[in-house]
């Protein structure tokens, strides 16, 4: 694109928390698409390894790790400089998203993040118990804050690629599916209309189905965890219990499944780490594949958003929803190495920069299954080559995240008093309009594959042949 549009003006200060791989990639998109006061743009991070990028641009860098003790003073100091509504872009780890969000709203500032992040120690705290360490529990803290303090300055919770962009893909996929199945009802406008459309179309579930084929120029060294995005983030969520939105069509649950007794009850968890839990799924390039059932906020929010309840408040329809993630091959090797030694994390971490990647695509989309056409995948097939031509400081995986942050920021500017919202509740057409120039080919593909194709093979299996799309058939046991 030779001309990049300005999407709006940020009238007050901008505070970016975190300047890792996603922060570095988001920076040029903010510069490209917004008008703002350069002198009131501040980046806060405890690591100053990449501050040269900020110094070159005249963006102020604050070398500071935010803690429970200092975050309120720091945010107030930098978000209230001068006039206009400030904007906090939280792209950090080890800072409480809930506390940041709450304080920004008290200050009258807009807010966005890509995950409900806790303070340090949460992910690996054995004393909490597995149920308390789930993303379900983290999400419920944000939902409770929304119930207690409705309305007010907009805070967009969990708006990256996934969670975030994939929720917009689900809606676009439902629109395509409705057209192809001859559903003549008007396009939904409300949560209730969207959930009833999914029910009417017979969608039993959604896989967030991803295959990252980006290859490093150099082989992975031993005792180094290599990935294409935040390793701290991946390891944190990977060591949480596997979680999935739990559909009303499911007839069987694993023996180690845990059920929640409060909140939406839209999800279950397994008493095993997500990064060591495999599921069967499908993407257009890889076709049938194994993915990891890593917990993500969208697995819960999508299942919750599309729940249909009766007059008694009982769920009569809900799709199963979960991540089915095949990361880059070096990350798979890294996980194999990690779990081979009982979860001992490698001593060194390395995120592959765009210059270190030989080639490859991050194929990230949603697989809607169980309907009359069997299964439909809709998503992005962004290559590292295309990414290099679009914007600096990021690979294909990063750009799918940073462009979603951009879209969420635009929506917040255009809807500044929407209160606390999730990606499922944003205008999916507006968000995709902003993001599509950064996603490479975005395609839809039907498939006749099911988790039962080729099964049982040489050995007997515990499968449900009456319904291909039971989680019993998806989970690798």
């Amino acid at each position: 694109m030779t001309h990049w549009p300005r999407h709006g003006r940020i009238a007050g200060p901008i505070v970016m928390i975190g300047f890792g791989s996603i922060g570095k990639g988001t920076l040029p998109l903010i510069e490209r698409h917004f008008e703002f006061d350069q002198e009131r743009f501040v980046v806060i991070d405890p690591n100053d390894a990449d501050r040269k990028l900020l110094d070159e641009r005249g963006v102020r860098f604050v070398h500071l790790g935010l803690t429970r003790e200092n975050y309120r003073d720091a945010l107030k100091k930098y978000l209230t400089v001068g006039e206009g509504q400030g904007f906090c872009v939280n792209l950090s780890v080890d800072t409480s998203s809930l506390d940041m969000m709450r304080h920004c709203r008290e200050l009258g500032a807009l807010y966005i993040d890509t995950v409900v992040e806790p303070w340090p120690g949460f992910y690996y705290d054995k004393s909490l118990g597995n149920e308390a360490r789930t993303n379900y529990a983290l999400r419920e803290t944000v939902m409770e804050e929304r119930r207690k303090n409705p309305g007010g300055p907009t805070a967009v919770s969990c708006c990256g690629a996934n969670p975030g962009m994939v929720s917009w893909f689900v809606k676009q996929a439902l629109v395509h599916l409705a057209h192809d199945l001859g559903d003549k009802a008007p396009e939904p406008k409300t949560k209730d209309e969207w959930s009833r459309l999914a029910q009417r179309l017979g969608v039993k579930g959604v896989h967030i189905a991803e295959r990252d084929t980006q290859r490093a120029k150099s082989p992975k060294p031993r005792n180094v965890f290599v990935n294409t995005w935040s390793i701290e983030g991946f390891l944190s969520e990977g060591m949480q219990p596997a979680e999935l939105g739990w559909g009303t069509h499911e007839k069987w649950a694993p023996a180690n499944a845990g059920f929640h007794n409060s909140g939406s009850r839209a999800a279950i968890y397994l008493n095993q780490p997500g990064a060591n839990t495999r599921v069967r799924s499908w993407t257009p390039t890889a076709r049938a594949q194994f993915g990891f059932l890593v917990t993500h906020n969208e697995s819960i929010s999508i299942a919750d958003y599309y729940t249909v309840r009766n007059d008694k408040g009982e769920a009569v329809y809900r799709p199963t929803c979960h991540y089915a993630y095949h990361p880059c091959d070096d990350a798979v090797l890294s996980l194999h190495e990690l779990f081979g030694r009982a979860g001992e994390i490698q001593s060194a971490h390395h995120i592959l920069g765009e210059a270190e990647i030989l080639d490859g695509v991050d194929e990230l989309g949603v697989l809607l299954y169980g309907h009359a056409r069997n299964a439909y995948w809709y998503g992005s097939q962004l290559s590292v080559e295309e990414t290099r031509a679009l914007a600096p400081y990021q690979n294909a995986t990063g750009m799918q995240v940073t462009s979603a942050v951009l879209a969420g920021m635009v929506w917040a500017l255009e809807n500044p008093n929407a209160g606390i919202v999730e990606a499922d509740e944003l205008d999916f057409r507006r968000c995709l309009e902003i993001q599509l120039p950064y996603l490479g080919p975005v395609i839809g593909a039907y498939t006749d594959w099911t988790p039962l194709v080729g099964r049982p093979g040489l050995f007997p299996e515990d499968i449900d042949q009456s319904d291909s799309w039971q989680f019993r058939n998806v989970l690798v046991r």
Side-chain angles (χ1 to χ4, degrees):
M1 182 178 289
T2 57
H3 173 70
W4 295 100
R6 292 283 187 175
H7 290 306
R9 178 175 180 269
I10 300 174
I14 304 173
V15 175
M16 180 186 290
I17 308 172
F19 200 60
S21 60
I22 301 305
K24 290 196 297 286
T26 302
L27 174 65
L29 301 189
I30 291 175
E31 293 177 319
R32 180 179 287 176
H33 292 288
F34 296 114
E35 296 177 2
F36 58 91
D37 184 350
Q38 187 87 8
E39 295 182 355
R40 292 190 290 163
F41 193 166
V42 175
V43 174
I44 303 175
D45 196 291
N47 187 334
D48 65 351
D50 294 303
R51 69 172 300 167
K52 181 181 177 182
L53 297 177
L54 301 167
D55 294 340
E56 292 171 346
R57 290 166 160 77
V59 175
R60 182 175 181 180
F61 177 75
V62 177
H63 193 195
L64 177 70
L66 295 183
T67 66
R68 289 183 176 91
E69 292 72 33
N70 69 17
Y71 80 93
R72 292 181 65 87
D73 289 340
L75 290 180
K76 183 176 181 180
K77 178 178 180 179
Y78 298 113
L79 275 174
T80 59
V81 175
E83 298 180 349
Q85 186 174 34
F87 207 136
C88 179
V89 184
N90 185 1
L91 306 175
S92 64
V93 296
D94 288 340
T95 61
S96 168
S97 303
L98 178 62
D99 284 347
M100 302 295 159
M101 173 191 298
R102 182 187 290 128
H103 191 49
C104 287
R105 280 165 39 85
E106 290 171 357
L107 297 173
L110 301 173
Y111 173 90
I112 191 169
D113 61 37
T114 61
V115 63
V116 182
E117 183 77 4
W119 289 115
F122 173 89
Y123 293 118
Y124 304 100
D125 188 345
K126 293 181 181 179
S127 69
L128 288 176
N130 284 333
E131 181 176 4
R133 293 194 311 112
T134 59
N135 270 337
Y136 182 95
L138 286 170
R139 177 176 180 263
E140 281 299 316
T141 64
V142 175
M143 295 297 99
E144 179 63 19
E145 175 68 17
R146 178 162 79 170
R147 287 189 288 269
K148 289 181 177 178
N149 297 288
T154 297
V156 184
S157 176
C158 296
C159 190
N162 56 316
M165 172 187 75
V166 293
S167 289
W168 310 329
F169 281 174
V170 169
K171 287 186 173 179
Q172 186 62 73
L174 285 171
V175 170
H176 290 170
L177 190 58
H179 175 271
D180 294 346
L181 294 181
D183 190 287
K184 303 298 184 182
E187 184 172 299
K189 302 296 182 185
T190 66
K191 176 184 181 298
D192 181 66
E193 291 173 354
W194 280 109
S195 59
R196 292 189 183 278
L197 173 62
Q199 179 187 36
R200 201 161 61 243
L201 296 177
V203 175
K204 291 183 177 178
V206 179
H207 286 178
I208 313 303
E210 179 174 6
R211 180 62 175 258
D212 186 346
T213 66
Q214 293 172 100
R215 295 190 298 158
K217 294 177 181 178
S218 302
K220 184 193 98 65
R222 284 178 293 176
N223 201 32
V224 179
F225 198 111
V226 178
N227 197 15
T228 54
W229 60 282
S230 172
I231 293 165
E232 291 84 358
F234 187 28
L235 288 175
S236 296
E237 67 189 26
M239 297 305 288
Q240 287 179 272
E243 287 184 86
L244 62 158
W246 194 238
T248 47
H249 74 285
E250 302 289 0
K251 297 182 289 185
W252 169 94
N256 66 346
F259 292 79
H260 301 283
N261 295 316
S262 61
S264 69
R265 304 184 186 182
I268 66 170
Y269 64 96
L270 308 184
N271 281 289
Q272 60 190 66
N276 202 25
T277 303
R278 293 184 301 169
V279 288
R280 296 170 176 86
S281 192
W282 187 94
T283 68
T285 298
R287 318 296 284 182
Q289 66 174 20
F290 280 163
F292 294 108
L293 202 168
V294 175
T295 178
H296 261 206
N297 181 276
E298 78 272 9
S299 300
I300 305 155
S301 73
I302 290 173
D304 190 10
Y305 187 85
Y306 290 94
T307 298
V308 176
R309 298 184 183 274
N310 62 20
D311 293 340
K312 298 179 181 179
E314 301 164 330
V316 295
Y317 168 78
R318 177 187 294 126
T320 293
C321 183
H322 61 81
Y323 201 9
Y325 179 35
H326 191 303
C328 71
D329 290 348
D330 280 350
V332 175
L333 289 174
S334 300
L335 288 173
H336 188 68
E337 184 177 60
L338 183 153
F339 284 110
R341 51 196 196 187
E344 180 187 343
I345 296 172
Q346 287 87 336
S347 59
H349 299 167
H350 182 67
I351 299 174
L352 294 172
E354 70 276 12
E356 299 175 279
I357 297 175
L358 180 64
D359 58 19
V361 170
D362 199 328
E363 186 170 63
L364 171 57
V366 294
L367 182 73
L368 277 63
Y369 60 81
H371 47 78
R373 294 286 299 271
N374 185 55
Y376 179 68
W377 187 95
Y378 181 81
S380 164
Q381 297 175 317
L382 180 62
S383 72
V384 68
E385 294 85 358
E386 290 169 297
T387 302
R388 292 187 183 115
L390 287 168
Y393 316 136
Q394 55 202 311
N395 56 39
T397 307
M399 179 156 283
Q400 288 167 334
V401 178
T402 60
S403 56
V405 173
L406 169 67
M409 290 181 68
V410 174
W411 190 90
L413 279 176
E414 295 174 349
N415 301 270
N417 293 294
I420 299 172
V421 293
E422 295 182 296
D424 310 272
E425 300 164 306
L426 308 190
D427 181 345
F428 80 102
R429 291 196 179 278
R430 177 57 174 150
C431 290
L432 288 180
E433 177 187 23
I434 296 159
Q435 194 181 9
L436 281 173
Y438 291 106
L439 294 181
V442 175
I443 71 160
Y446 285 101
T447 176
D448 59 3
W449 175 85
T450 78
L452 288 184
V453 169
R455 301 170 65 198
L458 296 175
F459 301 93
E461 292 192 77
D462 180 15
I463 55 180
D464 184 343
Q465 294 182 314
S466 70
D467 182 357
S468 299
W469 292 106
Q470 287 289 308
F471 185 65
R472 184 176 199 158
N473 302 327
V474 173
L475 180 66
V476 178
R477 290 175 282 151

